[in-house]
Amino acid sequence: MPADTPPAEQLAVPDQRALDEVALTRAEYDRIVALLGRAPNQLELGLFGAMWSEHCGYKNSRPLLRRFPTAGPRVRVKAGAENAGAVDIGGGLAVVMKIESHNHPSAVEPYQGAATGVGGIVRDIFTMGARPVALLDSLRFGPLDEPRNRYLFAGIVGGIGGYGNCLGIPTVAGEIYFDASYSGNPLVNAMCVGLIEEGQLIPARAEGEGNPVLLVGAATGRDGIHGATFASVELDEASEERRPAVQVGNPFTEKLLMEACLELRGKGWIVGMQDLGAAGLTSSSVESAHKGGAGIELDVLKAPRRESGMTPYDVMLSESQERMLVVARAGYAANVAALFARWGLHSAVIGQVIAEPVIRVREGERVAAEIPTRLLTDEVPAYTREGIAPPELAALWAFDPRSLADLPDPNDALMRLLAVPDLCSREDVTRTYDTMVGANTLVGPGSDAAVLRVRDANDRETGQALALTTDGNGRLTYLDPYNGGALAVAEAARNVVCAGALPLALTNCLNFGNPEKLEIYYQLAQAIDGMAAAARALETPVISGNVSLYNESFGRAIYPTPVVGMVGLIEGRAPTPSAFQRAGDVVALLGELTGDPATLGGSTYLAALHGIVAGRPPRLDLDRERVLQRLTLDAIAAGRVRSAHDCADGGLAVALAECCIWSGLGLEGGAALPVAVGDPLAATALLYGEAPSRIVISVSPERWDEMVALADAAGLPIARLGTVGGERLRLAALLDVPVDELAEAWRGGLARALGRGPMPA
Amino acid sequence: MKFGVVVFPGTWSDRDCLRIVGPVLGQEAVSIWHQDTDLQGCDCVILPGGFSYGDYLRAGAIARFAPVVGAIRAFAERGGLVLGICNGFQILLEAGLLPGAMLRNANLEFRCQWVHLRVENAATPFTRRCRPGQVLRIPISHGEGNYFADDATLDALEASNGVLARYCAADGSITPEANPNGSRRNIAGIINPGRNVAAMMPHPERCGEAVLGGEDGRLIFASVIETLAERSHAALAAGSR
């Protein structure tokens, strides 16, 4: 059929309601008509709506994302080239990783929203031919004293565990934070990490005219239609009605799909594979055809369906989970089908690769849609705006900690801080996740970074381990978007450094409000600039990522929340623990020990104990950060460091308390501190201020002098705080609390916030 | 010695089991597909953890009908050693090879955590390397590990020394607090009167290497290896007579 034959169902000019349905503007519609040279029919309009959505097309963020550094000597698959990025770790192995959001689905249907978020990111990894080895989750919720937030919390945590536990992939790390800005719009960012051997990469490409295109896995239903566009609008009263836009997951089918796809590697039967995620069959076929410089013709009648009466529109835009598009080599479709059948999975040849670079959708003989793939990919509009700094920033920065009245006693403050939901133990959550399956978890949840042993395809240990973490602080990014973005990268890198790992690369999820609002756009642009600067300085290229905009409910935006997932590499030695190890070891702070009240700006202390979110967070000095991380790694490599723990949320006192609680050992902190007696504000700042670029270390006494010499040579401050030992956390005249009391406050925090007693063991 | 590790489509502890008996303990280890009835001449068959066929119904309720389970039943009747771990325990219960049933954990949560186990019967092919009453530290990872049987069944089980291990505190005391899932009488593992079919909810395959936080799991597999070595010596001796 010639390409210029007008497809059926020519549509009159759609009204605003019809455009809203697919989240396109009038101007975008006009542009589509101009590009096509005719009006699109309803199905074609749906395809444009999905592919031009922020979720698929990144139309608001694409120009900004180009600011990220993406190259590096270890980068094997760059951001955007495949479903996830990859970095080389030597020995013919590469790490594949990506993080992705599932915020809006989780807001209306928390269990399935979170579950399918896990499912989607896992498919991104095994679609490439990599075996998933770890999952991480970065979550944000509104305060737990609201029943709706408790419902979302229970559902989301349940969905993550329910899906991930069934797959046999350990959930090893993540973060959970709470703030009123996330009420009604929780954040669910799921990250998956995989390992792939050289030469095993399966590209997400469709090429070779006449090659059969198979749809594999679950049958296609009506669930998830408009999921991509749903993710690209704000949440409001009508959102509850969008519940049908949320997909329902089946982790067992995902497991089958994973094993079958991994078995396909190296057989030479296929040219490419692409999972069906947002915008389902539409985006998978369009994107893989576009990458292969080819087209795809498919017949919706050949797609296995869950129900009768489904229209081409339903089939093309369904986001039914656990499906895969496989492009086989001509003559091998039967082999592929037999392999999937062995795993109990259906497959059907639904079309073929064609030379013409178009997506042609047939319903039997009838052509239901035909669009050049370029129009759905390269021609997605890109919007660049000039952001405006949120006007409230000036007032927020003007906050003076000296205005604080009634500073609590430092001991009481510590007890209360350790119990707040942002800082307390996450064990009640993490023990509902399988953290150990795979027998590689050297360090599970509850440290600076999780650490996984690396084994090659022949089950041989390579002597390497991966350190994994996620990091992001919405409050700090709200108060200073550039700095917040930079801090997310720096802290993630610092976390893996504390485990003794060299940071290699990062993936990121940008959770922001509506970018059409110029203050939000400013936050987005600034945060990206900060992240890019830190990624350059720390030599951790961005190898993958995801953007989640329109995170607003009832017109109120979430805190701008960039989340960074970082991978680091440990070679030839055990992971460095976060907790103190041995009584008698010297405890010290690497980095600035300061009582400057300004460091309280944006701190957890201010937010949690005074209810104040204000102040200008201390600026990150990237040179200092780089020196700190390098020095710490050098000292670890030389065997001078017994433990290392990032000093960040909650400040020095909380970092020290954690080192004590995790080890059951106290701190005899007798050293003199740079705080005048009788200056409670300076004492508070020293204990709870959040100056960046700091690490708490413990060092055996024999190595202490060498450690000091090393720090001096690097020009990095090092402050001796005391020695490990006893049963109390004592710091000069400022702190003196029994460790078991600290531990009790910390352990029971989440259960108390959820309004239930401590869980039975 | 040759170990067979059964693979249902939803199994995920197969690789961990293959690793501990294979590279870690130096035995021959092969996978056995759920549709197969040929146990490949294995000396011991392990039913590992996972979600056999999704287990949306009741864990193991469908798996009991798998072709491989029929072969395992016959193998067990001939005295072959069968070890069920986690999902394998659930399947052996559903298949009627061991008494009792699994309920959802009493706390209604999936739980993955280290627990302590007290070895109640150290005179079995699966525990002979343990001391009687020895406290092992082994992880659990399940949502349906709440072992249930009526009093008569439990009494009979206890009377036959069929309780292999119980959840306990670090000092070995059997307390409600040490019970992570509500199992009756803190039962974590059981064995049949023939002493050749055993099962436990905890995952010994996850703690066979010090870097993983413990090595107590080795004792279970080392016991089996020792038993099999003894059997093959006995067979050789019988043959040479």
Side-chain angles (χ1 to χ4, degrees):
Chain A
M1 162 182 245
D4 58 355
T5 304
E9 293 171 27
Q10 206 73 48
L11 193 72
V13 176
D15 59 13
Q16 194 54 49
R17 197 186 148 81
L19 289 179
D20 285 348
E21 183 79 5
V22 291
L24 290 170
T25 64
R26 176 67 54 189
E28 285 168 343
Y29 176 78
D30 293 341
R31 184 179 154 93
I32 288 167
V33 173
L35 285 167
L36 268 181
R38 60 177 170 82
N41 64 30
Q42 195 197 351
L43 171 57
E44 290 169 334
L45 190 63
L47 303 190
F48 272 103
M51 295 302 294
W52 283 24
S53 69
E54 178 59 37
H55 198 71
C56 290
Y58 296 99
K59 60 189 167 192
N60 292 292
S61 51
R62 213 160 7 122
L64 295 175
L65 297 176
R66 294 200 188 102
R67 299 180 186 178
F68 282 140
T70 58
R74 286 178 182 268
V75 176
R76 286 296 166 270
V77 178
K78 285 180 80 166
E82 295 289 348
N83 282 288
V87 278
D88 194 349
I89 57 168
L93 282 174
V95 175
V96 177
M97 66 172 185
K98 189 181 181 185
I99 189 167
E100 198 164 77
S101 66
H102 231 215
N103 303 338
H104 283 192
S106 305
V108 298
E109 174 47 64
Y111 186 97
Q112 293 297 342
T116 55
V118 173
I121 198 65
V122 169
R123 276 197 303 284
D124 277 337
I125 301 305
F126 72 71
T127 299
M128 291 176 65
R131 177 166 282 284
V133 295
L135 284 165
L136 297 88
D137 308 281
S138 182
L139 311 178
R140 303 290 184 281
F141 299 96
L144 289 174
D145 50 14
E146 290 172 32
R148 168 90 188 161
N149 292 330
R150 288 202 294 275
Y151 159 74
L152 292 172
F153 179 84
I156 286 167
V157 167
I160 288 170
Y163 204 98
N165 293 346
C166 195
L167 295 179
I169 305 168
T171 299
V172 295
E175 21 159 31
I176 306 175
Y177 290 106
F178 301 87
D179 185 85
S181 81
Y182 305 110
S183 280
N185 195 133
L187 302 187
V188 177
N189 293 181
M191 172 172 164
C192 187
V193 181
L195 280 174
I196 191 167
E197 295 125 53
E198 211 162 326
Q200 294 279 24
L201 179 90
I202 301 173
R205 295 160 71 89
E207 57 190 355
E209 192 179 354
N211 278 335
V213 175
L214 291 89
L215 183 58
V216 175
T220 300
R222 283 201 171 98
D223 51 333
I225 291 170
H226 285 158
T229 44
F230 174 42
S232 306
V233 295
E234 294 177 26
L235 295 169
D236 54 26
E237 295 89 344
S239 297
E240 198 62 19
E241 294 165 20
R242 295 271 194 173
R243 203 182 279 267
V246 179
Q247 315 83 338
V248 176
N250 179 346
F252 177 58
T253 306
E254 177 100 341
K255 169 80 162 57
L256 305 179
L257 203 53
M258 173 170 75
E259 299 295 350
C261 288
L262 292 176
E263 223 175 274
L264 263 181
R265 291 183 298 187
K267 290 217 183 318
W269 296 347
I270 64 171
V271 297
M273 194 152 75
Q274 170 67 51
D275 77 301
L276 277 71
L281 195 49
T282 301
S283 65
S284 58
S285 54
V286 167
E287 284 170 8
S288 54
H290 187 63
K291 274 181 192 150
I296 283 185
E297 178 178 65
L298 48 85
D299 181 352
V300 293
L301 291 183
K302 293 186 174 155
R305 305 154 189 223
R306 286 183 200 162
E307 49 190 310
S308 57
M310 287 179 69
T311 64
Y313 193 97
D314 293 338
V315 174
M316 290 306 292
L317 291 171
S318 160
E319 293 189 7
S320 289
Q321 296 289 290
E322 295 98 20
R323 296 181 300 159
M324 190 73 75
L325 197 71
V326 179
V327 183
R329 287 188 198 287
Y332 288 96
N335 302 54
V336 174
L339 189 151
F340 282 102
R342 183 172 175 270
W343 283 98
L345 291 170
H346 300 294
S347 58
V349 175
I350 61 162
Q352 59 175 336
V353 179
I354 55 176
E356 246 177 300
V358 302
I359 170 85
R360 184 180 298 141
V361 181
R362 286 181 180 278
E363 187 183 30
E365 285 305 301
R366 189 178 73 95
V367 173
E370 179 167 328
I371 305 172
T373 55
R374 183 179 53 85
L375 305 194
L376 297 168
T377 51
D378 295 345
E379 294 292 345
V380 176
Y383 300 120
T384 324
R385 298 184 175 84
E386 201 56 54
I388 298 172
E392 70 265 31
L393 271 188
L396 290 168
W397 287 359
F399 170 78
D400 186 348
R402 276 169 293 216
S403 65
L404 289 174
D406 302 328
L407 292 173
D409 166 73
N411 292 326
D412 287 348
L414 182 57
M415 289 290 288
R416 287 166 57 195
L417 261 185
L418 286 171
V420 302
D422 272 359
L423 295 176
C424 69
S425 168
R426 271 84 183 98
E427 199 188 333
D428 283 352
V429 169
T430 58
R431 71 180 171 188
T432 68
Y433 303 151
D434 191 335
T435 58
M436 296 180 232
V437 63
N440 290 320
T441 307
L442 306 182
V443 179
S447 278
D448 286 76
V451 182
L452 278 119
R453 160 172 78 175
V454 175
R455 281 147 56 188
D456 67 14
N458 301 314
D459 202 12
R460 277 191 289 262
E461 289 160 74
T462 64
Q464 298 169 311
L466 304 179
L468 303 169
T469 191
T470 63
D471 210 292
N473 187 320
R475 186 176 59 244
L476 294 180
T477 310
Y478 165 70
L479 290 171
D480 188 343
Y482 182 96
N483 201 40
L487 278 170
V489 173
E491 284 198 20
R494 204 184 308 138
N495 285 340
V496 304
V497 162
C498 285
L502 175 71
L504 296 185
L506 69 89
T507 179
N508 70 96
C509 194
L510 302 170
N511 306 276
F512 287 76
N514 179 349
E516 296 158 36
K517 299 176 183 169
L518 297 182
E519 292 84 5
I520 303 284
Y521 192 84
Y522 172 89
Q523 293 175 333
L524 178 64
Q526 287 283 306
I528 286 175
D529 282 343
M531 293 167 76
R536 270 194 194 88
L538 302 174
E539 297 172 47
T540 50
V542 177
I543 61 167
S544 58
N546 164 249
V547 180
S548 173
L549 304 179
Y550 302 92
N551 286 292
E552 306 204 1
S553 52
F554 302 98
R556 202 172 63 130
I558 58 160
Y559 279 156
T561 312
V563 172
V564 170
M566 183 75 69
V567 61
L569 185 64
I570 304 175
E571 298 198 87
R573 59 169 182 270
T576 305
S578 302
F580 293 149
Q581 296 296 301
R582 203 174 297 184
D585 284 351
V586 177
V587 176
L589 182 71
L590 278 174
E592 199 84 49
L593 181 66
T594 171
D596 178 1
T599 61
L600 287 169
S603 63
T604 310
Y605 169 87
L606 269 192
L609 298 194
H610 294 272
I612 295 171
V613 174
R616 185 160 196 186
R619 294 291 279 192
L620 175 68
D621 176 341
L622 283 170
D623 289 328
R624 164 64 63 87
E625 184 71 39
R626 194 170 45 207
V627 169
L628 170 77
Q629 294 191 14
R630 191 162 298 166
L631 172 80
T632 305
L633 273 183
D634 287 348
I636 287 172
R640 291 187 176 87
V641 176
R642 203 99 84 179
S643 72
H645 180 34
D646 179 25
C647 180
D649 300 342
L652 177 64
V654 168
L656 292 172
E658 289 168 340
C659 291
C660 290
I661 293 167
W662 297 337
S663 64
L665 295 166
L667 169 65
E668 303 284 350
L673 298 175
V675 176
V677 177
D679 184 350
L681 185 62
T684 299
L686 182 132
L687 294 172
Y688 304 110
E690 296 184 12
S693 307
R694 305 191 300 171
I695 293 175
V696 170
I697 56 170
S698 67
V699 180
S700 81
E702 309 86 73
R703 312 305 293 268
W704 172 245
D705 290 342
E706 294 167 36
M707 191 66 224
V708 173
L710 210 56
D712 287 348
L716 191 78
I718 181 168
R720 183 178 174 133
L721 301 174
T723 54
V724 177
E727 292 172 349
R728 304 176 75 85
L729 166 52
R730 288 201 308 113
L731 190 62
L734 302 182
L735 279 183
D736 187 3
V737 201
V739 173
D740 56 3
E741 285 180 23
L742 294 173
E744 202 185 316
W746 179 75
R747 289 220 166 84
L750 218 43
R752 277 190 293 272
L754 286 165
R756 60 190 192 198
M759 292 297 289
Chain B
M1 301 305 140
K2 187 169 176 182
F3 285 78
V5 177
V6 178
V7 182
F8 293 92
T11 298
W12 40 237
S13 278
D14 49 329
R15 270 180 289 273
D16 300 353
C17 287
L18 288 169
R19 176 172 171 83
I20 190 161
V21 291
V24 175
L25 292 171
Q27 307 299 308
E28 187 182 355
V30 295
S31 297
I32 301 173
W33 188 239
H34 63 116
Q35 300 286 10
D36 292 348
T37 50
D38 176 5
L39 300 183
Q40 303 175 41
C42 287
D43 303 298
C44 172
V45 174
I46 299 174
L47 285 153
F51 286 75
S52 53
Y53 295 109
D55 289 346
Y56 293 113
L57 183 53
R58 202 172 57 241
I62 298 175
R64 61 175 277 218
F65 296 108
V68 74
V69 173
I72 290 171
R73 189 189 304 276
F75 175 70
E77 280 163 10
R78 294 195 304 271
L81 295 187
V82 178
L83 173 62
I85 298 169
C86 193
N87 192 217
F89 193 169
Q90 296 161 340
I91 293 167
L92 289 173
L93 294 178
E94 291 290 332
L97 283 165
L98 289 170
M102 285 296 173
L103 306 178
R104 282 195 69 190
N105 291 351
N107 49 44
L108 300 182
E109 287 185 348
F110 189 98
R111 282 296 177 87
C112 176
Q113 64 193 61
W114 289 86
V115 298
H116 291 101
L117 301 179
R118 191 173 79 191
V119 177
E120 300 291 89
N121 185 346
T124 80
F126 305 90
T127 50
R128 58 190 285 169
R129 294 287 294 267
C130 307
R131 294 186 310 279
Q134 184 173 352
V135 175
L136 308 179
R137 196 171 155 271
I138 295 184
I140 56 164
S141 186
H142 59 249
E144 285 182 38
N146 180 358
Y147 181 72
F148 181 86
D150 59 26
D151 287 331
T153 307
L154 291 174
D155 290 344
L157 191 65
E158 306 239 20
S160 72
N161 275 327
V163 177
L164 211 54
R166 285 182 223 269
Y167 301 109
C168 68
D171 65 359
S173 55
I174 307 296
T175 64
E177 295 74 32
N179 186 341
N181 52 27
S183 288
R184 292 207 67 190
R185 304 188 191 179
N186 281 41
I187 290 173
I190 60 176
I191 189 164
N192 67 343
R195 298 292 184 257
N196 66 321
V197 179
M200 59 198 301
M201 284 314 292
H203 288 272
E205 79 283 3
R206 293 188 181 184
C207 55
E209 300 171 77
V211 292
L212 299 177
E215 292 186 291
D216 286 356
R218 274 176 183 251
L219 293 169
I220 305 298
F221 300 99
S223 295
V224 174
I225 293 167
E226 196 173 274
T227 304
L228 291 172
E230 199 175 274
R231 281 190 182 185
S232 80
H233 284 144
L236 276 177
S240 65
R241 237 178 272 143

